[in-house]
Amino acid sequence: MDEQCLVLSGDWVCGDGGKWDFVIEKHQMGRMVAVYEGIGFQELKRNVLREFRMDEAQFGVTLSYWPPTSMELATGIRTPPVLVTSDG
């Protein structure tokens, strides 16, 4: 069964004091991308490009996520984002 993952376009920025912020691209709306157990990295990237209607030959995709902790929600994100680079 397919699930949906919210994908936002933007950049992670590390500011003063080591606090990480995700700056959302203001000219792109978020997209729901189909995912399923066992999906491969390359297929996930293709799904993202397809949802954003971007040409794979012209645009690259960098995937990352932030592993939240309950303390960081109150004190600011200090754990760096995780870059997804392979099926692993």
Side-chain angles (χ1 to χ4, degrees):
M1 175 179 216
D2 286 355
E3 298 287 334
Q4 299 287 316
C5 176
L6 175 62
V7 177
L8 299 172
S9 179
D11 289 306
W12 285 103
V13 177
C14 186
D16 295 337
K19 182 179 173 193
W20 286 91
D21 287 309
F22 186 75
V23 180
I24 295 174
E25 167 60 48
K26 291 180 174 80
H27 302 290
Q28 288 284 352
M29 298 288 288
R31 304 290 199 283
M32 296 303 289
V33 176
V35 296
Y36 58 89
E37 186 174 338
I39 190 171
F41 178 64
Q42 295 303 323
E43 183 178 358
L44 178 57
K45 288 189 347 180
R46 283 191 298 273
N47 289 354
V48 169
L49 286 168
R50 184 173 46 252
E51 287 298 324
F52 279 90
R53 294 188 169 95
M54 300 290 182
D55 181 9
E56 190 172 352
Q58 292 182 327
F59 296 94
V61 173
T62 302
L63 299 173
S64 64
Y65 67 95
W66 166 59
T69 67
S70 59
M71 291 299 294
E72 286 181 326
L73 294 175
T75 62
I77 302 169
R78 298 207 187 282
T79 303
V82 175
L83 184 63
V84 181
T85 59
S86 68
D87 289 341

